[in-house]
Amino acid sequence: MLISFLLTFAYPIFTTTMIVLKTVREVDQHKQQNNSIDSSLGFVPTMGALHEGHLSLVRRAKLENEVVAVSIYVNPKQFNNPEDLKHYPRTIDQDLDLLSGILDHNDFVFTPSDEEIYPDQIMEKYDFGLLETIMEGKHRPGHFNGVGIVVDRLFQIIRPKRSYFGEKDFQQIAVIKDLIRQKDYDIEIIPCSIIREKNGLAMSSRNVRLTQDERQKAGKIFYLLNEARQRVLANIDLLKIQDYMINELNNQANFSVEYVAFAEEEGLKPTTRIGDKKLRCFVAVFAGDVRLIDNYPMY
Ligand code: AMP
C-alpha cells in the first residue's frame, strides 16, 4: 500500500523512480511532457501477479528501449471461465515493489480500471482464422477475441515502438502479430523465452493456486516435452508420441489433459507428420482446477 502510494503521489519529488499512471489522460500527459518517448518506448502488457517470467520481459525491454511501460490489468474479456477470473491472483503492491527494482526515470506502470479500458461498449469481433480453431483458440472460445480487444486498446493508449510477449503463450504471439497486420500498426513484436521453475514447470501467475504436490508433479510436463523432442528426433510417429504424453500426464493423480498437439512453428498449422518445417509441441493440462499450458520446440 505504502509503495503504491509513494509511487503514485511522490512522483514530482522522486523523478528517478518509475511512476504509476491510472488513467489514459495521465498517460497522454506523461508522454507529452517527455516527447522523446515515442521513438523508443518498449511495452510489456501483463495481468499482474508478477513473477520472474514477467520480469524477464521487463528487463529485456529495459535493455532495448529508452523508456519502458508495463501495464497491469486483469482483462475480464479474455476469461472464458468466470471461476478462473474470480480466482485470478491480484498482488498489486508486490508487483509495484518488484517493478520499482527495474524501472526508473520516465518509465511507467499503467494500472487502469475497467472504465478506462472500456469507456464504452467496445465489442470488436476479430477474425484470427485458423488460430481461433486450434489449441487455445478451440478450448477457450472467445479468449483470443478478448486478447485482441485489450491489446489493441493498450497499443492505442501506450503507442509503443516495441512490445514484449512470452513464448509461454506462443499462440497468443501469433494472434498479436495478426492483429498488428490487420491494424497496420508500426509495432515490433519481440517474443521472449519461457522462464521455468527448477523442476521445469513454466512459471505462471496461476501456479500459486497449485498444491505443493501438484506443483511438484507439474514438472512432468516439461520432462515429457523434452522426451517428445528426443522421440521426434528419433523419427517416432507423432500420434504415438502424442498418445504416450496424454497417458503419462493423465496417469498423475488429479491431472487431466485438455490437449497435446504438434504444430508448425510458423503459422501454427497442426500436423501429425514430421516434415521439414520447424515443429513445436503444445500442451494444456488441468492440475486440479488449475489450467497449465506449455510448449517446446521439437526441431
Ligand atoms: P500474463 O500476465 O499471464 O498475461 O502474462 C504477461 C506476459 O508475460 C505474456 O506475454 C506472457 O506470455 C508472459 N509470460 C508469462 N509467463 C511467462 C514465463 N514463464 N516466461 C516468459 N514469459 C512469460
Side-chain angles (χ1 to χ4, degrees):
M1 199 61 190
L2 180 66
I3 285 173
S4 75
F5 175 84
L6 284 174
L7 292 172
T8 305
F9 297 106
Y11 163 57
I13 309 166
F14 304 110
T15 45
T16 53
T17 186
M18 69 185 199
I19 56 166
V20 180
L21 307 172
K22 290 182 192 307
T23 66
V24 176
R25 218 181 118 95
E26 284 171 357
V27 173
D28 284 344
Q29 280 172 351
H30 181 66
K31 292 192 64 165
Q32 270 166 22
Q33 281 159 10
N34 304 280
N35 53 12
S36 64
I37 282 184
D38 278 351
S39 59
S40 182
L41 175 54
F43 175 44
V44 183
T46 82
M47 296 205 296
L50 302 183
H51 49 67
E52 268 306 309
H54 298 108
L55 299 183
S56 70
L57 272 55
V58 179
R59 285 197 195 95
R60 171 133 184 225
K62 189 74 192 138
L63 279 178
E64 297 176 358
N65 301 275
E66 274 167 36
V67 177
V68 172
V70 177
S71 64
I72 299 179
Y73 177 64
V74 181
N75 172 35
K77 287 197 194 300
Q78 73 187 71
F79 283 79
N80 55 312
N81 175 353
E83 282 299 301
D84 189 22
L85 174 60
K86 195 168 119 195
H87 295 298
Y88 200 82
R90 288 163 168 87
T91 57
I92 186 71
D93 284 339
Q94 187 187 309
D95 293 349
L96 293 178
D97 198 11
L98 288 169
L99 290 173
S100 67
I102 303 174
L103 301 181
D104 53 24
H105 297 306
N106 294 323
D107 299 335
F108 62 96
V109 186
F110 182 46
T111 59
S113 62
D114 288 339
E115 290 72 30
E116 286 294 319
I117 294 291
Y118 301 119
D120 35 48
Q121 282 300 328
I122 306 174
M123 280 313 286
E124 203 153 357
K125 178 78 194 83
Y126 289 100
D127 180 358
F128 294 120
L130 170 77
L131 296 171
E132 283 173 23
T133 66
I134 54 165
M135 302 188 294
E136 293 303 283
K138 177 175 169 188
H139 291 273
R140 300 186 68 187
H143 168 63
F144 284 138
N145 206 58
V147 168
I149 290 172
V150 78
V151 173
D152 184 40
R153 178 86 178 118
L154 289 167
F155 280 171
Q156 286 184 28
I157 297 167
I158 307 285
R159 286 168 280 131
K161 187 81 196 129
R162 298 179 197 86
S163 192
Y164 296 76
F165 291 86
E167 287 187 335
K168 164 150 184 297
D169 300 283
F170 201 89
Q171 193 173 354
Q172 175 172 271
I173 295 179
V175 165
I176 303 297
K177 283 185 175 166
D178 199 33
L179 175 77
I180 300 267
R181 184 190 58 77
Q182 289 184 33
K183 298 273 176 164
D184 202 18
Y185 288 146
D186 181 17
I187 301 172
E188 192 184 350
I189 299 303
I190 317 278
C192 303
S193 310
I194 302 175
I195 305 297
R196 300 177 178 282
E197 309 273 0
K198 272 206 189 87
N199 71 349
L201 171 64
M203 286 192 180
S204 162
S205 304
R206 291 180 177 88
N207 290 357
V208 293
R209 298 189 48 231
L210 295 170
T211 64
Q212 216 167 6
D213 182 51
E214 287 166 346
R215 189 183 273 249
Q216 183 245 318
K217 285 190 176 130
K220 182 93 182 201
I221 303 168
F222 187 53
Y223 179 85
L224 286 169
L225 283 166
N226 274 286
E227 229 185 340
R229 182 165 191 274
Q230 297 308 320
R231 289 174 183 224
V232 167
L233 294 177
N235 226 8
I236 294 175
D237 184 60
L238 291 187
L239 289 173
K240 280 200 182 124
I241 303 174
Q242 187 187 36
D243 274 356
Y244 169 75
M245 292 174 77
I246 292 173
N247 283 333
E248 287 288 306
L249 286 168
N250 280 339
N251 279 341
Q252 307 221 98
N254 259 350
F255 276 55
S256 166
V257 172
E258 199 164 66
Y259 63 80
V260 171
F262 292 91
E264 289 170 6
E265 215 169 271
E266 192 64 43
L268 293 186
K269 193 168 140 238
T271 181
T272 51
R273 254 180 4 94
I274 297 176
D276 46 12
K277 301 227 172 90
K278 276 190 171 178
L279 187 72
R280 222 166 236 267
C281 183
F282 297 82
V283 176
V285 56
F286 279 94
D289 63 352
V290 183
R291 190 172 182 277
L292 303 171
I293 58 169
D294 203 345
N295 66 83
Y296 197 56
M298 297 291 104
Y299 56 83

